[in-house]
Amino acid sequence: MGVQLGDLVAAREISFDELAGKRIAIDAFNTLYQFLSIIRQPTGEPLRDSQGRVTSHLSGILYRNANLIEFGVLPVYVFDGEPPKLKSKVIKERNQLREQAKREWERALKEERYEEAWSKAVQSAKLTDAMLSDAKRLLTLLGIPYVEAPAEGEAQAAYMAKRGDVFAAGSQDYDSLLFGSPRLVRNLTISGKRKLPRKKAYVDVKPEIITLDEVLRSLGVSREQLIDIAILIGTDYNPGGVEGIGPKKAYALIKEHGSAERALEAKGIEVDFDVTEIRELFLNHKTTDDYKLEWHPPDKEGVVAFLCGERDFSRERVEKALEKMEKALKVTRAQRSLDSWFK
Amino acid sequence: MKATLADPKILKSSIDAISNMIDEAGVIVSQEGIALRAMDPAHVALVDFKLEKEAFEEYDVNETLTLGIDLDRLNTILKRAGSSDRIELSTSDDGGSLRITIRNSATRRFDLPLIDVGEEELRVPQLEFPAKVEIDPKILSEGIKDAEIFSDHVTLRCDAENLYISARGDLGNVEVKVSREEAVSFEVSEPCRSMFSIEYLKDMIKAGDIATTVRINLGNDIPVKLDFLAPGVSLSFLLAPRVESE
């Protein structure tokens, strides 16, 4: 979910060629939810193995990473740790929404309203502990590093980008910018043809990059003020934000009054959240230095045993993806591209 | 369009070498012949392939067409052709497919649906190569296989007297030396060396059996250009170097 900053920040389309050779810290939860939502059958049913276990997330991890690595991108996945206490309200709301969507999905299926079924199924996607451990097991077998964040994954990704260990954070949400990531790449793992919600149409999704400096410069605000704008709109720590204040109004208020506290005071608005506490969560979030960024060729036998042996994936397709990855990875780190010789 | 090859080997070997690196490409069919120029997705290798109309037994093309081809599929189909088969290329009646007809004791017809590819033409970087050495493709192929025993990359080096194909690894070293007398032709204006990925070279060398020689164009830490030349055919690969680690 995250902060609705899309109207305020300008993204630039970026080609995979420009991302070749670059390390990107990808928000694992965000990406796995994307996979669970998108990788579904027309009835909304996720992919499952013969024992009924969901495999959509594993399919996404294998094929999307094979694509990324083939383009020369080096992904590292960042998993959420303990969520901040302030997030419990949002987590509870989301769980309720999922439960409700699940009931509506089942009803729509029974009544053969398949388009609605699909969109309800997407909203009901739930990431379980079993799926998370599946995901980590597959990443390890694929030779792709992952990091366990002590708290929010987005904050950890931002920290790694700030230190220069990775080029950018990768997520659909804008929160990593608030956490201070100098760059955010969106649409990284969902590029290509993507179904439009509630429609039978498809759009071509391309990766885009957002640079924190450019955002701050074009808005003429500091990072603290960008956070304050987000707080007025609503973040995961104060869902809904201030009633009646959307992105444009929030921006105007911060421009006029300088901070969220002064804006609220000037407007005489009482809120039930602590602005300072939330701002502090974005400015000084708990992160760790305990990570090692190394990419290894995939353990082909291990992946085949897991995905084909245990989860009924097609051996031919899995092997093809693994070969693609192995070959690309071998060249990525030391291999130059011909682009430098095109004048 | 209609183009018939009496000897399928040139097309089979060329597509075999290309298709492992490049999944899909626009093939330009014109009155002069058939041409394909493309880079692999990582922009590490570029292929420039021309099959002139003289290479065909029969060549009937009146317009210029760009056919988007899934090269992997095309390779699978061409592998089905034996060395004494005749291959006829044409477009299907509705124009949506490339039709490959393999004739021998029976007539086998494959329709490969065309795919959408960009029409813009790819330029080729202009490079100055201080070393141009022409050798038997088998020597290069064997040298690369020797190097693979110890490493996944190989150094190509030239001095005034020799071409060296060498590799170093944790488990040992190997060097293959080809003297100027052993080469078919040898022009080296200054000593030079560059290092390359064996994975890519192994694919490229599959084109070795279309030509009696391969010209290795080499410089210092610049791409290498391999030219496989035979009457009516030109197949060149450009491969970006690896960074030599200290």
Side-chain angles (χ1 to χ4, degrees):
Chain A
M1 240 126 286
V3 181
Q4 304 306 306
L5 279 181
D7 292 343
L8 294 177
V9 305
R12 173 174 74 83
E13 208 172 89
I14 186 167
S15 70
F16 277 107
D17 292 343
E18 285 177 81
L19 292 172
K22 298 202 161 58
R23 300 161 165 207
I24 298 183
I26 298 177
D27 180 355
F29 273 59
N30 185 278
T31 303
L32 290 173
Y33 268 116
Q34 295 285 343
F35 293 156
L36 281 184
S37 309
I38 299 168
I39 305 173
R40 277 174 190 271
Q41 296 165 24
T43 55
E45 266 297 313
L47 308 184
R48 290 183 196 276
D49 64 14
S50 56
Q51 291 183 38
R53 289 174 295 194
V54 172
T55 55
S56 297
H57 58 305
L58 297 176
S59 173
I61 292 176
L62 175 66
Y63 297 115
R64 294 298 170 152
N65 281 309
N67 277 348
L68 286 182
I69 286 177
E70 190 178 22
F71 282 120
V73 175
L74 294 168
V76 43
Y77 284 81
V78 185
F79 285 84
D80 283 356
E82 191 70 34
K85 280 196 194 73
L86 282 178
K87 209 178 177 176
S88 54
K89 193 170 164 196
V90 138
I91 293 172
K92 210 171 139 197
E93 279 178 10
R94 280 180 201 168
N95 283 336
Q96 283 168 351
L97 281 175
R98 279 191 200 110
E99 288 300 316
Q100 196 191 333
K102 196 167 173 223
R103 287 193 295 273
E104 284 167 353
W105 170 31
E106 280 155 5
R107 200 170 56 222
L109 265 187
K110 230 177 264 165
E111 293 164 13
E112 294 179 10
R113 287 175 286 123
Y114 290 115
E115 273 173 54
E116 194 188 333
W118 210 91
S119 84
K120 290 299 170 192
V122 164
Q123 291 166 29
S124 72
K126 171 103 178 82
L127 204 51
T128 62
D129 286 346
M131 289 179 195
L132 286 175
S133 66
D134 276 354
K136 289 173 191 171
R137 179 173 166 205
L138 182 56
L139 286 172
T140 306
L141 288 169
L142 291 174
I144 296 169
Y146 67 84
V147 179
E148 305 267 15
E152 295 273 17
E154 302 245 26
Q156 179 67 25
Y159 173 72
M160 290 159 67
K162 250 191 290 185
R163 296 217 322 176
D165 285 339
V166 298
F167 168 75
S171 177
Q172 293 310 99
D173 290 352
Y174 296 95
D175 297 45
S176 65
L177 292 172
L178 303 180
F179 286 118
S181 180
R183 291 177 205 87
L184 164 66
V185 179
R186 299 183 74 235
N187 302 344
L188 200 54
T189 47
I190 58 163
S191 296
K193 295 265 180 285
R194 191 182 174 199
K195 194 174 177 296
L196 285 171
R198 286 176 294 278
K199 284 184 191 141
K200 276 200 174 136
Y202 287 80
V203 278
D204 204 11
V205 180
K206 294 190 171 133
E208 56 183 40
I209 187 165
I210 297 155
T211 310
L212 179 60
D213 267 353
E214 279 173 26
V215 170
L216 298 181
R217 211 175 325 124
S218 75
L219 295 176
V221 298
S222 64
R223 188 177 136 214
E224 285 78 358
Q225 288 175 319
L226 186 67
I227 294 170
D228 282 13
I229 293 171
I231 293 172
L232 293 181
I233 304 169
T235 71
D236 284 353
Y237 312 126
N238 64 325
V242 180
E243 216 189 310
I245 295 186
K248 283 191 182 119
K249 213 162 172 186
Y251 173 53
L253 281 172
I254 296 300
K255 281 298 262 190
E256 191 186 340
H257 301 286
S259 77
E261 287 95 337
R262 283 204 289 272
L264 292 172
E265 200 190 318
K267 290 279 159 194
I269 301 170
E270 295 269 340
V271 291
D272 59 355
F273 51 82
D274 184 340
V275 173
T276 322
E277 195 185 354
I278 296 170
R279 190 191 295 125
E280 194 57 23
L281 268 179
F282 284 114
L283 286 174
N284 294 303
H285 206 89
K286 205 168 159 198
T287 54
T288 177
D289 287 344
D290 183 20
Y291 55 82
K292 205 162 140 197
L293 302 186
E294 277 179 11
W295 287 262
H296 300 288
D299 169 1
K300 288 204 233 172
E301 282 171 25
V303 176
V304 168
F306 179 26
L307 293 183
C308 310
E310 297 176 32
R311 302 302 167 93
D312 307 316
F313 277 60
S314 140
R315 195 183 173 110
E316 193 194 345
R317 285 195 65 203
V318 169
E319 282 180 345
K320 206 171 167 191
L322 290 173
E323 265 162 45
K324 203 162 87 169
M325 276 175 100
E326 189 179 34
K327 189 166 159 182
L329 190 68
K330 266 190 190 163
V331 297
T332 298
R333 282 166 297 176
Q335 179 67 58
R336 299 186 63 181
S337 97
L338 285 171
D339 296 339
S340 358
W341 285 279
F342 280 97
K343 292 197 185 99
Chain B
M1 71 155 290
K2 192 172 156 189
T4 311
L5 281 167
D7 177 5
K9 190 175 76 181
I10 290 175
L11 189 63
K12 273 168 68 100
S13 299
S14 303
I15 298 299
D16 195 27
I18 297 166
S19 64
N20 219 358
M21 284 177 270
I22 295 158
D23 294 340
E24 49 190 55
V27 174
I28 298 167
V29 180
S30 70
Q31 289 178 335
E32 282 76 50
I34 290 179
L36 181 167
R37 189 185 280 174
M39 273 202 276
D40 77 310
H43 287 201
V44 171
L46 181 146
V47 59
D48 197 3
F49 176 51
K50 285 190 202 82
L51 204 50
E52 283 160 31
K53 69 171 184 221
E54 288 74 23
F56 294 87
E57 188 183 55
E58 192 191 336
Y59 193 82
D60 180 17
V61 174
N62 302 315
E63 51 182 338
T64 301
L65 303 164
T66 301
L67 308 177
I69 309 274
D70 179 335
L71 294 174
D72 217 24
R73 286 272 159 237
L74 177 61
N75 189 38
T76 314
I77 294 169
L78 291 175
K79 280 200 162 144
R80 301 291 305 134
S83 54
S84 60
D85 293 351
R86 295 155 59 84
I87 296 185
E88 184 187 294
L89 304 174
S90 57
T91 43
S92 63
D93 302 332
D94 63 359
S97 299
L98 173 69
R99 176 162 289 176
I100 302 122
T101 312
I102 301 175
R103 284 182 212 277
N104 201 328
S105 42
T107 302
R108 296 145 71 198
R109 203 183 73 194
F110 298 87
D111 281 352
L112 180 63
L114 297 175
I115 50 179
D116 209 14
V117 290
E119 298 241 341
E120 70 184 280
E121 204 193 336
L122 187 65
R123 292 169 309 124
V124 176
Q126 294 303 307
L127 298 163
E128 298 277 337
F129 297 103
K132 291 178 177 132
V133 178
E134 220 174 316
I135 60 171
D136 184 334
K138 281 197 199 74
I139 300 177
L140 181 60
S141 156
E142 292 300 310
I144 289 164
K145 284 180 192 157
D146 288 343
E148 201 186 9
I149 298 174
F150 295 117
S151 180
D152 58 8
H153 43 268
V154 60
T155 301
L156 301 180
R157 180 165 70 89
C158 274
D159 60 20
E161 297 304 320
N162 301 292
L163 162 75
Y164 304 88
I165 304 166
S166 62
R168 297 178 154 275
D170 296 337
L171 302 175
N173 305 325
V174 51
E175 182 184 84
V176 175
K177 184 168 84 176
V178 188
S179 70
R180 61 185 306 154
E181 288 75 29
E182 286 162 333
V184 178
S185 76
F186 194 93
E187 280 174 60
V188 176
S189 58
E190 58 175 277
C192 51
R193 65 181 289 154
S194 297
M195 194 165 81
F196 302 98
S197 151
I198 287 179
E199 282 286 334
Y200 278 91
L201 287 172
K202 264 171 67 185
D203 285 336
M204 295 172 179
I205 202 71
K206 285 184 187 165
D209 63 357
I210 69 164
T212 51
T213 67
V214 53
R215 187 165 59 218
I216 303 169
N217 303 271
L218 189 69
N220 273 309
D221 294 318
I222 64 169
V224 66
K225 186 163 162 266
L226 301 180
D227 301 321
F228 297 92
L229 305 169
V233 191
S234 104
L235 175 57
S236 294
F237 292 102
L238 198 62
L239 175 63
R242 288 176 58 99
V243 181
E244 288 208 49
S245 51
E246 293 78 31

